[in-house]
Amino acid sequence: MPRTSGALGYTMQVDKGEQVLMSREDLFNRIATLTGGRAAEEVVLGSVSTGASNDIEQATRLARAMVTRYGMSEKYDMMGLETVNNAYLGGDTSLTCSSETAADIDREVLKMITEAHQKARKLISVHLDIMHEAAHYLLDKETITGEEFMAIVRKYQQ
């Protein structure tokens, strides 16, 4: 919640340590986290803004890679559907499937993002008191560390 111009705020995900391999659950939860800002707008404000545009791009890119490159789609199993060209020069990708399959991939990606978004909305709705206290903290301090956030969470745990 910045008081200056520029980014209107952002969330930085900090890994627990060096992590080379990520599970399907880890990646799905990362997508849920990326949809959290939009979910918070929906739950608290009953409206949405353009603020989640970068999160939407990242969530879509990650879900698409899960389906096309990482073999993390139940429907396509371990079938490679995309190749990475020039991995060291930007990593452009190209699909290696029919146009019908490409359209179906879009449906799989949407399904994955929708499920993650629903998870984020549910988590926010269930833990609204934590979110409100964290928001008040941010209004006062502008930033919050993981330790400071977890102190708020612990106050509400049974």
Side-chain angles (χ1 to χ4, degrees), residues 80-139:
L81 298 164
E82 183 177 65
T83 58
V84 178
N85 308 309
N86 302 319
Y88 300 106
L89 299 174
D92 296 335
T93 60
S94 58
L95 290 175
T96 56
C97 59
S98 69
S99 58
E100 293 86 16
T101 302
D104 196 47
I105 288 168
D106 288 341
R107 286 187 284 277
E108 283 288 298
V109 169
L110 177 59
K111 178 182 169 194
M112 192 175 292
I113 293 169
T114 300
E115 288 172 5
H117 187 194
Q118 289 171 346
K119 179 179 181 174
R121 274 198 302 256
K122 181 178 179 183
L123 283 168
I124 288 167
S125 295
V126 169
H127 300 288
L128 207 50
D129 46 0
I130 294 172
M131 192 187 79
H132 284 303
E133 185 164 337
H136 287 292
Y137 186 95
L138 285 165
L139 284 169

